[in-house]
Amino acid sequence: MCSRYLIGDGTFEALKEGFFEILDEEGEDFFLPFLSLRGDIRPSMAAPVLLRETVGRKGAESMADGGRPGSGGAGCDNSRLRMKKCIWGFPGVEGKGLIINARCETALDKRLFAESVQKRRCLIPAAGFYEWSERKDPYFFAPKGPEGGKGRLLLMAGFHRKWEGQERFVILTTQANASVQGVHPRMPLILNMEEAREWLREDCEVPRLLTKTPEELAREPLGQLSLFS
């Protein structure tokens, strides 16, 4: 399970480096509206997600934006990377509770998730995520840096959909790898940069990525951090 994660000061800079084409199309100011979302992200909060949207269908959007590079010509389909502010969690059955995670092993079989996993995949950028052991001891997990320390960008796989006018997302979880085992049996489905780009493509081999084992992470004990603080 993943119930809290961190967007750090360097998360957006690392995102710019990994997905440089966003800057080519949108410019440096593109990330400014999302900077206020840095910090701990909890269920029901708004957070930035990265997704791919189709533009230029039948020439409509390419005419509207004056044929901007990357918009596709008249009569062409094309797509662009987009950052969107979405709410973390789908409303539960009959509006009770909030569904924040979906298991990779069953997501394609669940009616609530299947279409979104197939057609509306997204990436959730973070500096790392928190997990609590059975003894309620908190830990922070982050990408390993070049010297084995913490890196700056972690990309969690998820999916999104619009619900009563609000864009919402869910994070996919898988069995814990060696770095998370012993703290919790589940962890987010974390993708490397190549896998992350594939996850956003229309021709993505979704079942294959849903069965991958995430790379090892750096693990840091955090003392008395409260789940509800």
Side-chain angles (χ1 to χ4, degrees):
M1 181 176 180
C2 176
S3 60
R4 191 194 297 187
Y5 65 92
L6 173 70
I7 297 177
D9 291 338
T11 302
F12 290 106
E13 286 300 321
L15 199 61
K16 291 177 187 178
E17 294 172 8
F19 295 92
F20 57 87
E21 60 267 44
I22 295 179
L23 297 183
D24 291 342
E25 294 175 356
E26 307 291 348
E28 285 284 349
D29 293 342
F30 176 71
F31 286 92
L32 290 179
F34 303 101
L35 296 182
S36 62
L37 301 176
R38 287 175 294 185
D40 283 359
I41 305 297
R42 300 173 177 83
S44 79
M45 291 178 63
V49 303
L50 186 65
L51 51 87
R52 186 173 291 278
E53 286 187 335
T54 300
V55 298
R57 188 172 297 280
K58 295 183 180 180
E61 291 215 24
S62 54
M63 290 291 287
D65 65 15
R68 231 174 8 183
S71 64
C76 295
D77 287 346
N78 205 351
S79 64
R80 281 189 190 166
L81 291 175
R82 286 281 190 264
M83 285 277 286
K84 276 193 173 182
K85 187 186 297 185
C86 299
I87 303 297
W88 185 9
F90 285 5
V93 178
E94 297 182 353
K96 297 178 181 179
L98 203 62
I99 300 170
I100 61 173
N101 296 152
R103 297 173 68 94
C104 288
E105 298 89 340
T106 58
L108 289 174
D109 300 322
K110 301 284 188 180
R111 187 167 62 177
L112 180 63
F113 305 142
E115 183 183 12
S116 295
V117 176
Q118 293 166 346
K119 299 180 180 180
R120 293 183 292 274
R121 295 179 297 278
C122 64
L123 296 169
I124 300 93
F129 66 93
Y130 303 94
E131 197 52 79
W132 282 257
S133 68
E134 288 186 358
R135 297 175 54 186
K136 306 303 180 185
D137 296 323
Y139 292 83
F140 183 69
F141 295 91
K144 288 184 176 180
E147 287 82 35
K150 291 183 291 185
R152 290 191 299 165
L153 181 63
L154 180 146
L155 295 168
M156 298 180 286
F159 51 90
H160 66 100
R161 63 168 290 182
K162 185 169 287 189
W163 209 299
E164 295 183 350
Q166 289 185 319
E167 286 286 352
R168 293 177 171 268
F169 72 94
V170 165
I171 295 174
L172 284 157
T173 66
T174 187
Q175 293 184 5
N177 63 16
S179 56
V180 181
Q181 288 173 2
V183 175
H184 199 277
R186 307 289 299 178
M187 67 179 293
L189 177 61
I190 297 166
L191 305 177
N192 62 34
M193 188 59 66
E194 181 179 350
E195 294 164 340
R197 287 180 173 276
E198 179 182 353
W199 182 251
L200 296 183
R201 292 203 305 263
E202 185 176 352
D203 61 352
C204 172
E205 295 182 38
V206 174
R208 178 177 61 82
L209 289 183
L210 288 177
T211 60
K212 71 149 288 183
T213 299
E215 296 178 0
E216 295 295 302
L217 301 170
R219 180 168 72 183
E220 177 185 358
L222 295 177
Q224 297 303 312
L225 177 67
S226 169
L227 182 61
F228 304 104
S229 62

